[in-house]
Amino acid sequence: MEKQQWGWRVFSVFLLLVFLAGSLVALAVAVDRWRSEARSRTVELVMDYPSLYELSLVSGVPVAQAVRAVASAGVNALAIGEQTVADYVADGVLQAVSGQDLAGWQALSGRLPPAWQELRWNHIYPDYTYVRVAPGAPQGAANQAWEALRLRTQILGAQTLGPGRDTGRVLAIPLNLDTVLALGLGVNQRQLALARSAGLAVVLRTANVPGLTPELLRQWLATWPTGAQSRRDRVIFAGGEALGYPNLLEPMAKALRERGWPLVTVEFSAQKGMNGLAKRLGYQVVRAHSVPPAQQAEMSPPALLDRYLLAVRERGIRLLYLRPVAMAGILPGSAAPPGLPSSAPGGMVGTSTEGSLPDQTGTAVAGMDEMPAAPQGQGSAPETGRQLWEDNLHFLGRLRESLAREGFTTGIAQPLPALVTPRWAPASIMLMAGAVMAAAIWLLTRMFGYSAPGGWALLWVLGELGALALYLKGYTVLDRQLWALGAALVFPASAWWYAFMRLSGGVAWLSAPSETPADQAGRQQAGPAAEPVPPAAGEWKAWLWAVGRMWLAAALALVGCLFIVGLLGETRFMVQIYPFAGVKVAHLLPLLLAVLLAGWRISRPLPVPPWSLRSLGATVRRWGKSSLKYWHLAVGLVAFVVVYVYLTRTGNDAPVPVTGLEQAMRSGLTNLLAIRPRTKEFLIGYPAFLLAAYALASPRVRGWAAEAPPWCQTALRLLWLAAASGALIPLVSLNNTFSHIHTPLEISLWRTFNGLWLGTVIASLVVALLGLVLRVWHPHPQAPQR
């Protein structure tokens, strides 16, 4: 026995040293991350060109003047689209007509229109679209447009027909007319020139092409801006895939490297191929936030401003993709005022041909940038449009000022400064993993009293070998994610156990009634020192003791946050290419452990042995032999609903919606505290913790519980079970706060502190109310003798 105790002392010292070493490594990573975040304070404001064009139509401000105005108001870049077939048609470079219209003309007149007479009848299919170069089109633009369209549609089965009388080429495309007109053929050079004239950078909007070929990709990239001025430009991929996915990510990454462009990822938008591009670019990533038009139409300008500021301040967003603030009945999404177009004439233009086609073929319209500003009636734009224009300039000014107050500057956003990843990364991971294993072993041995050092030492070695094997096999992301998840599981449970749960063993009113005379004899033999018991020295001291235990638990849980930050302290995690894995598991498993241990505590008749596997087995067997009652089902149903809401409210896509009252409370707390604490911490978790701890130390609670009838004691034990289980919620939530690696550390620390002090205030009020009720029911408290 002495040899085993000596071995355990040596092993305990070893675990302590490993824990301290791992803590120092994690702290060094956290400091490096703090400095990196402090250097990233530039936010880029990008204006969506199509939406700005719509605003210029409504307000009567020429589009070139509108671009210069938003640049003066603080916008740094203009998001431009692609040159579509419709744009080339409007410019007189291409001509397009549907096969249905050609067939209709043929049926009515017995011949094809003059421009299309070289087509034979068997070349005309109603569901095709036919495109040719317009007579007299500039040769350079015509060749560029034709080649781009040919490459764009060849994978769809397009065929070149001819010879035609004027150009010798007709392209038969197996798509309807509207789809062909909307096809992009490279960067819109007119929009690019507008941005350059206003001194703005450009953000290209482009989508992936199914079956993209290397030749088409090269042609596509040839239209992108180059040169020294283009170093400020960016590209954002539209749709669900990055350009080049799945087989051409390497040339796509090479093109971005040559131009010095970081990868722009849009928050809450999962796009295939982005992880591969980010890895090839060394995780040089700028994270962007965009409000979908449908959501923005329902938001007031102050709410929209708050959303942008929240994204920048609390989620590390450094590029804001802006659209003009809309008013009902003014901008697209609602009915336009009489005489104003409801949308920009982009992909819905018709065709222009020599010899007019019937009206059903559509008519040619001017290019988007050459449209008149708006129908102006008697020579002045509508007052609503002018007011809308002024409101948008005012909004841009307020956004820029609000960012400045938060300590941010506007400009061209740069990727997050890379964190220094030491060459001894495997050793650092193993040290931090060893520290997590040491904490887990400490928890298990203290809970169950198992003191054989050999088995625990073997378990620790196996954990270290597993961490090293994953790293050497190349699963570095998985390695870090697994151990970060382990820290999120172990440290909240350890804090809960050490600061609170282990002290409940000697509180008599929590123990179930003894079942046999042997149990009663065992209780008498156990004595008052079976487990440490909090002092019962008065209500004030009981409250102070409970508050101290709560703050101690929060401090211990913060140690786990340090390891999460250290293990995931790399750029690839901070830009959310790889997130923290296991959010639901980290929320559920500690809660199940709390319910099991607290239920075990209130159901066992003896305080000794305090926490052992044998005692746990006996308790489980006793539960299995118990008869099921209706109130058991009711309690189980309530518990299921609570756990369901608790789990589903985690994450950004929670199916349980936020109520209007809660949203108002969140907004109020944000305005009051700047950094809003988590609701489940200050309103649920910390009050539950303080109540459960206070019930252990309060002489009034002890005296009242000892004199209560059996059914009331059972109810009290169930209520304590719920409070003791809920006491783990804020500790888990605290670790979850730091699991959002993209959130700056400063914000996470303030969120934690605000939740703790606000939770202490609310919990103290709840305890005071409970004390008032007990004072009425039990005016002379007397703690029972143990």
Side-chain angles (χ1 to χ4, degrees), residues 506-588:
V507 180
W509 69 270
L510 283 178
S511 297
S514 297
E515 298 179 347
T516 65
D519 291 336
Q520 296 176 0
R523 183 186 298 278
Q524 293 175 358
Q525 294 175 2
E531 288 188 12
V533 183
E539 298 302 309
W540 172 257
K541 290 185 177 180
W543 169 83
L544 194 61
W545 178 87
V547 170
R549 306 312 294 185
M550 187 172 73
W551 281 69
L552 174 63
L556 294 176
L558 269 175
V559 179
C561 302
L562 179 65
F563 284 100
I564 293 174
V565 171
L567 286 162
L568 303 184
E570 290 187 339
T571 307
R572 55 184 171 178
F573 294 103
M574 295 179 63
V575 297
Q576 221 175 9
I577 295 299
Y578 297 103
F580 175 86
V583 174
K584 304 293 185 185
V585 174
H587 278 79
L588 180 60

Side-chain angles (χ1 to χ4, degrees), residues 284-298:
Q284 295 293 293
V285 173
V286 173
R287 298 180 62 240
H289 181 75
S290 172
V291 181
Q295 291 185 20
Q296 181 169 322
E298 300 175 355

Side-chain angles (χ1 to χ4, degrees), residues 95 142 288 457 638:
Q95 294 177 339
V638 172

Side-chain angles (χ1 to χ4, degrees), residues 189-228:
Q189 298 300 317
R190 186 182 293 107
Q191 296 174 13
L192 176 61
L194 275 173
R196 294 292 190 240
S197 66
L200 295 175
V202 298
V203 173
L204 309 181
R205 293 274 301 176
T206 185
N208 195 27
V209 177
L212 184 67
T213 63
E215 184 182 9
L216 177 57
L217 180 61
R218 283 193 298 270
Q219 186 273 335
W220 211 287
L221 296 176
T223 67
W224 287 17
T226 56

Side-chain angles (χ1 to χ4, degrees), residues 105-376:
W105 187 287
Q106 177 77 25
L108 290 175
S109 62
R111 60 186 179 86
L112 293 174
W116 305 90
Q117 286 184 1
E118 301 300 328
L119 289 176
R120 298 192 303 273
W121 176 262
N122 60 357
H123 284 159
I124 300 174
Y125 300 96
D127 54 349
Y128 273 49
T129 297
Y130 297 87
V131 182
R132 55 169 290 190
V133 173
Q139 185 175 1
N143 290 338
Q144 178 182 348
W146 177 268
E147 186 63 17
L149 183 60
R150 184 189 66 80
L151 290 173
R152 179 74 168 81
T153 57
Q154 68 179 3
I155 58 178
L156 303 174
Q159 301 177 11
T160 302
L161 309 177
R165 182 177 58 187
D166 298 308
T167 62
R169 294 178 295 183
V170 174
L171 197 60
I173 306 171
L175 297 172
N176 62 55
L177 177 61
D178 290 340
T179 302
V180 171
L181 292 173
L183 292 177
L185 304 180
V187 175
N188 191 307
Q189 298 300 317
R190 186 182 293 107
Q191 296 174 13
L192 176 61
L194 275 173
R196 294 292 190 240
S197 66
L200 295 175
V202 298
V203 173
L204 309 181
R205 293 274 301 176
T206 185
N208 195 27
V209 177
L212 184 67
T213 63
E215 184 182 9
L216 177 57
L217 180 61
R218 283 193 298 270
Q219 186 273 335
W220 211 287
L221 296 176
T223 67
W224 287 17
T226 56
Q229 192 175 12
S230 70
R231 306 290 291 184
R232 306 187 307 153
D233 299 338
R234 305 283 187 266
V235 61
I236 291 182
F237 302 118
E241 298 176 347
L243 181 61
Y245 177 84
N247 300 320
L248 298 177
L249 293 180
E250 185 57 44
M252 186 70 249
K254 180 181 178 182
L256 294 177
R257 283 195 301 268
E258 290 174 348
R259 290 168 170 79
W261 293 1
L263 184 66
V264 178
T265 62
V266 181
E267 191 180 27
F268 309 131
S269 175
Q271 293 178 306
K272 297 178 181 178
M274 295 300 280
N275 286 12
L277 278 178
K279 183 177 181 179
R280 289 171 170 84
L281 293 171
Y283 300 102
Q284 295 293 293
V285 173
V286 173
R287 298 180 62 240
H289 181 75
S290 172
V291 181
Q295 291 185 20
Q296 181 169 322
E298 300 175 355
M299 299 178 67
S300 64
L304 186 62
L305 180 64
D306 289 342
R307 174 160 172 167
Y308 286 140
L309 293 177
L310 191 70
V312 171
R313 181 180 62 236
E314 298 191 12
R315 300 199 299 277
I317 295 299
R318 292 299 178 263
L319 189 150
L320 294 177
Y321 193 96
L322 310 176
R323 295 179 178 86
V325 180
M327 292 175 58
I330 298 297
L331 285 187
S334 59
L340 293 183
S342 59
S343 62
M348 297 304 294
V349 298
T351 64
S352 175
T353 62
E354 282 186 282
S356 305
L357 294 178
D359 292 340
Q360 290 84 351
T361 62
T363 57
V365 297
M368 176 181 280
D369 304 308
E370 297 176 355
M371 286 289 290
Q376 304 205 5

Side-chain angles (χ1 to χ4, degrees), residues 469-761:
L470 282 176
Y471 189 91
L472 295 179
K473 283 290 187 179
Y475 299 107
T476 57
V477 171
L478 179 62
D479 197 9
R480 292 178 178 273
Q481 287 176 328
L482 284 177
W483 287 108
L485 176 60
L489 293 173
V490 169
F491 283 94
S494 299
W496 177 80
W497 171 263
Y498 180 79
F500 168 67
M501 194 62 196
R502 69 187 180 94
L503 304 177
S504 65
V507 180
W509 69 270
L510 283 178
S511 297
S514 297
E515 298 179 347
T516 65
D519 291 336
Q520 296 176 0
R523 183 186 298 278
Q524 293 175 358
Q525 294 175 2
E531 288 188 12
V533 183
E539 298 302 309
W540 172 257
K541 290 185 177 180
W543 169 83
L544 194 61
W545 178 87
V547 170
R549 306 312 294 185
M550 187 172 73
W551 281 69
L552 174 63
L556 294 176
L558 269 175
V559 179
C561 302
L562 179 65
F563 284 100
I564 293 174
V565 171
L567 286 162
L568 303 184
E570 290 187 339
T571 307
R572 55 184 171 178
F573 294 103
M574 295 179 63
V575 297
Q576 221 175 9
I577 295 299
Y578 297 103
F580 175 86
V583 174
K584 304 293 185 185
V585 174
H587 278 79
L588 180 60
L589 286 187
L591 183 62
L592 292 179
L593 174 67
V595 173
L596 177 63
L597 292 181
W600 177 15
R601 172 65 190 88
I602 68 173
S603 64
R604 59 197 179 102
L606 291 177
V608 267
W611 307 92
S612 66
L613 293 177
R614 179 177 299 178
S615 176
L616 175 62
T619 302
V620 172
R621 287 193 298 271
R622 186 166 63 251
W623 288 351
K625 296 177 181 179
S626 301
S627 58
L628 189 64
K629 298 180 175 63
Y630 286 113
W631 70 268
H632 292 161
L633 294 177
V635 171
L637 180 61
V638 172
F640 173 80
V641 172
V642 170
V643 172
Y644 174 78
V645 174
Y646 169 70
L647 290 179
T648 54
R649 285 292 300 271
T650 61
N652 295 313
D653 53 350
V656 179
V658 178
T659 63
L661 179 61
E662 184 178 354
Q663 188 62 50
M665 181 187 68
R666 290 181 175 186
S667 299
L669 286 173
T670 301
N671 294 333
L672 179 64
L673 303 176
I675 308 301
R676 176 183 62 83
R678 292 180 178 270
T679 305
K680 57 188 172 186
E681 291 181 17
F682 73 86
L683 204 57
I684 300 175
Y686 286 127
F689 194 115
L690 197 63
L691 277 174
Y694 172 77
L696 299 180
S698 168
R700 193 180 300 277
V701 173
R702 292 184 183 185
W704 181 49
E707 298 176 3
W711 69 267
C712 189
Q713 290 182 348
T714 300
L716 286 176
R717 285 194 292 271
L718 289 176
L719 290 175
W720 185 87
L721 167 64
S725 303
L728 193 52
I729 290 178
L731 309 180
V732 172
S733 177
L734 192 152
N735 275 253
N736 180 250
T737 294
F738 287 84
S739 299
H740 293 74
I741 304 299
H742 57 280
T743 300
L745 280 177
E746 180 183 5
I747 299 299
S748 296
L749 289 172
W750 272 112
R751 191 186 306 283
T752 299
F753 175 72
N754 286 340
L756 185 56
W757 76 258
L758 185 58
T760 302
V761 172

